[in-house]
Amino acid sequence: MYLSDRPRELAGPARAPAAPAARRGVGSTVLLLGLVSLLTDVSSESVSAVLPLYLTAVLGLSPLAYGFVDGLYQGVSALVRILGGWLSDRADRPKWVAFAGYALSAVTKALLLPANGLTAVTAVITLDRLGKGLRTAPRDAIIATATPPESRGRAFGVHRALDTTGAAVGPLLAFSILWLVPGDYRGVFVASLAAALLGLALLGLMVPDVRPRRTAVTAAGEGPAGDATATRPGDATATRPGNLTASRPDTTVATGPAGPVATRAPRPSWRTLAEPRFARVVAAAAVLGLLTISDGFLYLSLQQRDDFAERWFPLLFVGTNVAYLCLAVPCGRLADRVGRAKVMVGGHLLLLGAYLCAARPTGGFALTLACLLLLGAFYASTDGVLAALASTLVPQSIRASGIATAQTVVAVSRFGSSLLFGVLWSAWGRSPAVSIMAAGLLVGVTAAWLLLRNVEQPQRQGDAA
């Protein structure tokens, strides 16, 4: 925090409310956001679970064409992730930036109903992913702000566990609808819209309007004994030269050695994102993202190899998400204890195991199940862990932008990965394409480990976020 060069006179005595008790564990804000994500994932994953077959079997796309659409699905959110983070940091209103993103995604579920043809479906998918990109970083910034630094891995793990519960329920919902009425994709889209609207209402009505910069100011206003001398607009009124008084929502009063001192939240400075440790995390995320085959492509590979009925296809998403659900919190707690960078790199070794299961020319139930479990463990070890890692390497005033930058790099890299895998599958076939990506991932994990060695050590010694 920045202190004024000299103490400022106070127009009146400042009230001194008792300092809040230190927060530990996971609070209600994280749980509410988890429920919002649960409902939203019921909506989005019920559509995602039928999308690969809908595009390839109903619309007749080739693997290369599907790679392009899947790349859009994976990477188009990158176009607005940084914008979402910037708007959140600039306005200090992450809840409402996230609300706009959730609302955009809900609208697209309604637009899926009349959409016919590749062009219309692609446009709707693009809008949905733009909404996801807009909401993700502000939502994660709220989680980080509402949680002490030492518990962020667990908090993100709890959020991702609730999120993944929805990701498991969504495909089950799609499976049930298609089981009862084969080929009823419109029924899936209607159910998806209903879940999206419920999640949007919960966010708008129940989630508190967390203000990261104001929270940082309140923390800075604690005196030597931990007493906050002013925490709300109007509690501290600073007298400026010329007898002009001003009350600012981002200003509080700290008790220093020379008496009361006005404290103001720093303006966001995005030059901090060039800090070497954060840049190493971004570089490692880019390398690993480029070698991550999308879920849709892996599931199409398993379906083609084992030739099971199309109505069973949504259950592949369920298997992965159940594994993710069970492991998200344990992996988050493990990351808090042993290091988030270590767990993130280790998670990509689990992804390598999933590739090896999918690359085999023959399969069966056991091998397919092993692939799904390894894929779920990979997400549990990397998704929330990356956000937790990024949130500790940047100042609180640009936390949303830092998280958005890391997630944008992953999204762009995975867009390239989908295009690359589509080309490899079209040129050499399913099994060789997966094997080539597995070999590349082994090299990428080694490079990421070298980049991320000791990246957290300085932060752990002085984390005051």
Side-chain angles (χ1 to χ4, degrees), residues 272-285 393 451-452 455:
T272 309
L273 297 180
E275 197 271 336
R277 288 181 301 127
F278 183 75
R280 286 159 58 193
V281 171
V282 170
L393 296 178
L451 283 168
L452 296 178
V455 73

Side-chain angles (χ1 to χ4, degrees), residues 74-315:
Q74 297 292 327
V76 76
S77 62
L79 297 175
V80 293
R81 280 181 190 255
I82 292 180
L83 174 62
W86 181 84
L87 288 173
S88 173
D89 289 332
R90 186 69 177 177
D92 201 27
R93 294 281 189 179
K95 171 183 173 177
W96 297 110
V97 176
F99 185 89
Y102 280 105
L104 182 59
S105 292
V107 168
T108 62
K109 303 307 186 296
L111 295 177
L112 274 173
L113 293 171
N116 288 309
L118 175 60
T119 302
V121 171
T122 300
V124 171
I125 289 171
T126 300
L127 287 176
D128 177 65
R129 295 298 91 184
L130 289 175
K132 178 177 175 59
L134 190 64
R135 71 182 183 246
T136 301
R139 179 203 65 203
D140 287 349
I142 295 173
I143 295 172
T145 301
T147 308
E150 66 273 11
S151 301
R152 282 182 192 150
R154 178 169 56 176
F156 278 103
V158 169
H159 174 267
R160 291 331 193 240
L162 289 168
D163 179 277
T164 308
T165 300
V169 172
L172 283 175
L173 178 63
F175 169 75
S176 300
I177 292 172
L178 294 180
W179 179 272
L180 294 172
V181 186
D184 185 18
Y185 293 100
R186 286 180 59 85
V188 175
F189 299 155
V190 169
S192 171
L193 174 60
L197 292 176
L198 285 174
L200 188 64
L202 180 61
L203 174 62
L205 298 175
M206 298 297 294
V207 174
D209 188 13
V210 173
R211 306 285 298 277
R213 291 218 310 275
R214 182 178 290 184
T215 300
V217 168
T218 300
E222 296 180 359
D227 292 330
T229 57
T231 59
R232 296 188 300 272
D235 284 352
T237 306
T239 302
R240 296 181 177 180
N243 295 324
L244 296 176
T245 60
S247 175
R248 299 177 57 91
D250 60 350
T251 301
T252 189
V253 177
T255 303
V261 180
T263 306
R264 183 178 300 171
R267 290 185 178 275
S269 175
W270 288 273
R271 288 177 295 180
T272 309
L273 297 180
E275 197 271 336
R277 288 181 301 127
F278 183 75
R280 286 159 58 193
V281 171
V282 170
V287 171
L288 295 172
L290 186 61
L291 298 165
T292 300
I293 303 172
S294 74
D295 297 357
F297 256 135
L298 271 182
Y299 299 154
L300 281 175
S301 174
L302 294 174
Q303 196 272 338
Q304 185 182 96
R305 182 186 68 186
D306 297 335
D307 195 27
F308 48 81
E310 292 180 359
R311 66 173 176 268
W312 300 106
F313 190 81
L315 295 183

Side-chain angles (χ1 to χ4, degrees), residues 32-73:
L32 285 170
L33 283 172
L35 291 175
V36 171
S37 293
L38 186 155
L39 289 166
T40 304
D41 261 32
V42 169
S43 172
S44 61
E45 294 303 318
S46 60
V47 174
S48 297
V50 301
L51 201 60
L53 280 180
Y54 181 69
L55 294 177
T56 56
V58 177
L59 298 183
L61 269 65
S62 67
L64 180 57
Y66 174 72
F68 174 75
V69 175
D70 187 62
L72 285 177
Y73 191 83

